[in-house]
């Protein structure tokens, strides 16, 4: 992918990553898809959990956000707006994403998707790609997007 | 011909909410039941027969496999469909395609045979299994560790469960799988990490015991996995690689941390409930170190320790038939309005108030 926007930063601690996730999460609405890539332990679930819990907290709610590795999809109701947290690690091919209802959810819900390489040709074109990598205690966060819908939001979220 | 009382009913159970597709036949007797057949069409068979993949997502494939499983279960139990008195089916929680396939088949069978049908919560199936295998009375404490689940349940009745706490992120089985992956051990991680740990020194590395310092029965294992990753990377950077002994020592240290957390949280759950029995379901009981730690905690609390055979702790339909029979004996019946519920918290009372992780496909 040749991104129109790419932003790169290093987050020194899990707390900093959580704050970035929460700031980015504030503006997410139906049709927004974030694809989270990176090896086991890079912090994909941590980022998704922080984002989801901040949105729930804004509604005065606290819920655990269990890992979706085994369940594949965990969904949350943000007072009428659905949020899907998916982990495609165990899926065999892209057709199964359709069976899960994930492709429909890309339009109707907020979607946070781990191991999005399984999507193949079904990868939504205007999704935000976040790639995490391990730098000791710190994490490198690389955001890439083609759609202009992300530009202002990313800039705001990544303000120090 | 007089109809048998529901105590001695023959129940067909259907389970397709997770990776496997299963059917079982069970016959009630003297308040308990005997398992006449227990068929699980696992991923291997699926792969061979249909060239499918893991896990099974498609409702259609689940439906095809369910038909085969029911046929096999009836044949193996040596009963005909006409001899079945009731049909029990997992109505959730789980992946929607599989749950729907099961519920639709149950409705079809109920309509065709005129027999009653009952919807069962998959987690209730796990939680009630100690009553099927060991005739345990209520109440008892259940540590339910299956697939992505890990929770403490006080089991008070066939429809009465109180959730005391659970993992707030990864389940133990998942942590074992991911640690195995981080250390290049292959899958499934549980037995492989345990085997490595046997060769290792559990005291060489000090790994965190997440949430141990906080009150309550909640657990967290994601940070433990990250600590293993950091330890691995540090060793690789310092020595230019990971020696076999390092790997064994990491596994032993990881397993010791897991045992400490599970044991301490179980101790608290036992103290809180004063339960006379601790039942442990799932892979945790198959790990000798974890099992020993839990047995010790139960003994210290004066509680009986109980771990049903692994075959009845992994996903199966005998537990669904049993949980169905328990509900049927209470007079419960479901009709054609029975819905597939991807989300279905066992502890309905705690969910709006505490909302602790009961959302989502399987929680």
């Amino acid at each position: 992918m040749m991104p129109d926007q790419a932003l790169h930063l290093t987050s020194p601690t899990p707390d900093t990553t959580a704050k970035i996730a929460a700031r980015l999460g504030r503006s997410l609405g139906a049709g927004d898809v974030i694809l989270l890539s990176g090896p086991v332990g890079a912090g994909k679930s941590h980022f998704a959990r922080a984002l989801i819990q901040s949105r729930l907290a804004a509604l005065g709610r606290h819920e655990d956000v269990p890992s979706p590795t085994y369940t594949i999809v965990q969904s949350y109701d943000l007072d009428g707006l659905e949020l899907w947290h998916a982990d495609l690690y165990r899926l065999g091919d892209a057709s199964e994403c359709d069976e899960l209802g994930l492709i429909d959810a890309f339009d109707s819900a907020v979607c946070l998707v781990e191991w999005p390489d399984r999507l193949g040709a079904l990868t939504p074109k205007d999704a935000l790609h976040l790639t995490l990598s391990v730098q000791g205690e710190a994490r490198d966060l690389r955001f890439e997007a083609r759609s202009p819908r992300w530009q202002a939001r990313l800039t705001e979220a990544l303000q120090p | 011909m007089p109809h048998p009382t529901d105590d001695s009913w023959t129940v067909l159970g259907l389970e397709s909410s997770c990776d496997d597709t299963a059917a079982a036949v069970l016959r009630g007797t003297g308040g308990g039941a005997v398992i006449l057949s227990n068929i699980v069409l696992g991923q291997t068979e699926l792969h061979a027969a249909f060239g499918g993949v893991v896990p099974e997502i498609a409702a259609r494939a689940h439906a095809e496999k369910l038909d085969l499983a029911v046929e096999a279960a009836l044949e193996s139990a040596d009963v005909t469909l006409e001899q079945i008195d009731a049909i029990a089916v997992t109505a959730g929680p789980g992946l929607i395609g599989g749950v729907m396939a099961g519920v639709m088949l149950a409705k079809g069978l109920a309509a065709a045979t005129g027999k009653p049908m009952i919807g069962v919560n998959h987690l209730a199936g796990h939680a009630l299994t100690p009553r099927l295998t060991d005739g345990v009375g209520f109440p008892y404490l259940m540590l339910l560790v299956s697939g992505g689940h890990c929770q403490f349940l006080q089991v008070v009745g066939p429809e009465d469960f109180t959730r005391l706490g659970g993992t707030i992120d990864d389940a133990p089985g998942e942590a074992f799988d991911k640690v195995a992956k981080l250390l290049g051990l292959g899958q499934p991680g549980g037995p492989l990490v345990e085997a490595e740990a046997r060769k290792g020194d559990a005291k060489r590395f000090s790994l965190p015991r997440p949430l141990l310092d906080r009150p309550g029965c909640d657990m967290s294992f994601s940070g433990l996995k990250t600590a293993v990753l950091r330890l691995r990377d540090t060793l690789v950077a310092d020595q230019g690689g990971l020696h076999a002994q390092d790997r064994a020592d990491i596994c032993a240290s990881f397993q010791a941390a897991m045992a400490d957390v599970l044991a301490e949280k179980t101790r608290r759950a036992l103290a809180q409930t004063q339960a006379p029995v601790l039942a442990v379901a799932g892979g945790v009981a198959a790990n000798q170190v974890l099992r020993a730690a839990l047995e010790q905690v139960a003994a210290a609390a004066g509680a009986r320790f109980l771990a049903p055979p692994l075959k009845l702790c992994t996903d199966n339909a005998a537990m669904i038939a049993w949980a169905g029979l328990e509900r049927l004996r209470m007079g419960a019946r479901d009709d054609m309005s029975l819905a597939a519920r991807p989300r279905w918290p066992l502890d309905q009372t705690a969910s709006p108030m505490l909302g602790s992780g009961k959302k989502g496909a399987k929680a």
Side-chain angles (χ1 to χ4, degrees):
Chain A
M1 185 190 68
M2 285 296 291
D4 295 335
Q5 305 122 45
L7 278 159
H8 172 251
L9 73 147
T10 301
S11 168
T13 65
D15 281 351
T16 309
T17 305
K19 286 193 182 102
I20 293 167
R23 280 205 297 266
L24 182 62
R26 271 199 299 244
S27 64
L28 297 186
D32 285 332
V33 179
I34 301 181
L35 306 176
L36 299 143
S37 304
V40 170
K44 302 179 294 297
S45 287
H46 175 69
F47 187 94
R49 183 172 295 118
L51 192 160
I52 294 165
Q53 284 181 331
S54 72
R55 286 295 296 255
L56 291 168
L59 300 170
R61 283 155 53 195
H62 173 79
E63 283 172 31
D64 291 341
V65 176
S67 161
T69 300
Y70 282 92
T71 58
I72 304 176
V73 175
Q74 300 277 143
S75 60
Y76 301 85
D77 175 25
L78 304 174
D79 279 11
L81 173 67
E82 282 252 314
L83 186 151
W84 283 45
H85 182 198
D87 182 336
L88 309 184
Y89 186 75
R90 301 199 307 135
L91 290 197
D93 67 76
S95 70
E96 297 185 323
C97 301
D98 202 19
E99 289 272 1
L100 281 172
L102 188 60
I103 309 306
D104 290 338
F106 285 158
D107 292 325
S108 61
V110 175
C111 293
L112 310 177
V113 183
E114 303 185 33
W115 298 98
D117 54 313
R118 310 293 198 270
L119 284 165
L122 295 172
T123 306
K125 298 214 167 10
D126 50 3
L128 174 66
H129 294 248
L130 168 56
T131 308
L132 297 115
S133 52
V134 180
Q135 302 292 332
E137 299 267 341
R139 295 293 184 270
D140 265 0
L141 275 57
R142 176 174 292 278
F143 294 91
E144 293 164 307
R146 292 180 109 173
S147 163
R149 71 197 293 171
W150 292 105
Q151 188 155 26
R153 287 191 275 184
L154 267 181
T155 313
E156 197 198 316
L158 304 183
Q159 293 288 333
Chain B
M1 189 176 79
H3 202 74
T5 65
D6 55 10
D7 185 63
S8 58
W9 270 7
T10 303
V11 180
L12 172 68
L14 309 173
E15 156 62 42
S16 55
S17 66
C18 301
D19 293 355
D20 298 333
T21 306
V25 178
L26 182 144
R27 182 166 292 149
T29 168
V34 250
I35 299 169
L36 301 184
S37 66
N38 188 18
I39 304 291
V40 178
L41 296 185
Q43 299 141 8
T44 337
E45 292 89 335
L46 164 74
H47 205 88
F50 296 101
V53 288
V54 188
E56 189 52 74
I57 302 296
R60 190 178 50 254
H62 264 302
E64 285 168 8
K65 277 172 52 190
L66 264 174
D67 286 348
L68 294 177
V70 168
E71 272 175 42
L74 290 172
E75 191 183 311
S76 161
D78 199 22
V79 298
T80 64
L81 192 53
E82 292 67 37
Q83 291 171 303
I84 295 291
D85 298 305
I87 297 137
V89 61
T90 304
L95 284 167
I96 187 68
V99 179
M100 270 175 47
V103 169
M104 281 167 62
L105 176 60
K107 285 181 182 177
L109 291 172
T113 59
K115 301 291 168 61
M117 168 185 65
I118 192 98
V120 170
N121 182 309
H122 175 85
L123 298 171
H126 283 300
L128 295 170
T129 297
R131 290 174 51 74
L132 169 64
T133 56
D134 295 81
V136 176
F138 299 116
Y140 55 94
L141 178 67
M142 183 84 195
L143 171 54
L144 200 170
V145 189
S146 166
H149 296 286
C150 178
Q151 50 186 308
F152 289 106
L153 291 167
Q154 188 178 22
V155 187
V156 182
E159 298 179 350
D160 191 352
F161 307 91
T162 306
R163 188 184 192 271
L164 305 167
T167 180
I168 61 166
D169 41 53
D170 294 356
E174 185 170 356
F176 271 92
D177 279 350
K178 287 182 176 173
V179 163
K181 187 173 166 58
L182 289 172
L183 299 176
L185 284 172
Q187 300 290 321
L192 293 166
V193 169
E194 184 180 10
E196 275 298 304
R198 230 172 274 133
K199 299 179 261 172
D201 172 9
K203 294 203 169 67
R204 176 169 163 206
F205 302 113
S206 171
L207 290 169
R209 268 69 172 157
L211 295 190
L212 209 55
D213 52 342
R214 289 199 218 158
C217 299
D218 278 343
M219 292 166 279
S220 163
F221 299 110
S222 174
L224 189 51
K225 164 195 76 190
T226 313
V228 167
L229 168 68
R230 201 154 44 224
L231 182 55
R232 179 200 72 181
D233 288 352
T234 305
L235 287 167
V236 169
D238 290 353
Q239 333 174 132
L242 201 64
H243 304 305
Q245 192 57 49
D246 297 334
R247 191 159 79 171
D249 293 344
I250 294 175
C251 285
S253 304
F254 161 78
Q255 193 171 262
M258 178 74 78
D260 279 357
V261 173
L262 283 169
E264 171 57 19
K265 298 291 176 169
T266 304
R267 188 191 65 75
R268 290 181 200 176
L270 280 167
Q272 192 179 329
T273 56
Q274 297 289 311
V277 174
L278 168 67
V280 179
V284 154
N287 179 298
Q288 294 307 313
V289 171
L290 300 184
R291 185 185 175 118
L294 294 170
E295 279 174 339
Q296 209 172 358
V297 166
R304 179 182 165 203
F305 178 90
L306 198 147
L310 198 57
K311 211 177 100 182
L312 293 171
C313 289
T314 49
D315 293 337
N316 68 87
M319 69 176 189
I320 300 304
W322 169 250
L325 183 60
E326 292 239 55
R327 287 197 64 211
L328 289 162
R329 284 171 173 168
M330 292 173 74
R333 303 284 187 274
D334 284 308
D335 58 24
M336 289 297 155
S337 66
L338 177 69
R341 298 173 64 179
R343 301 176 193 168
W344 190 358
L346 255 190
D347 182 352
Q348 306 276 4
T349 53
S351 120
M353 210 163 46
L354 305 170
S356 42
K358 294 187 200 66
K359 284 258 174 183
K362 276 206 53 186

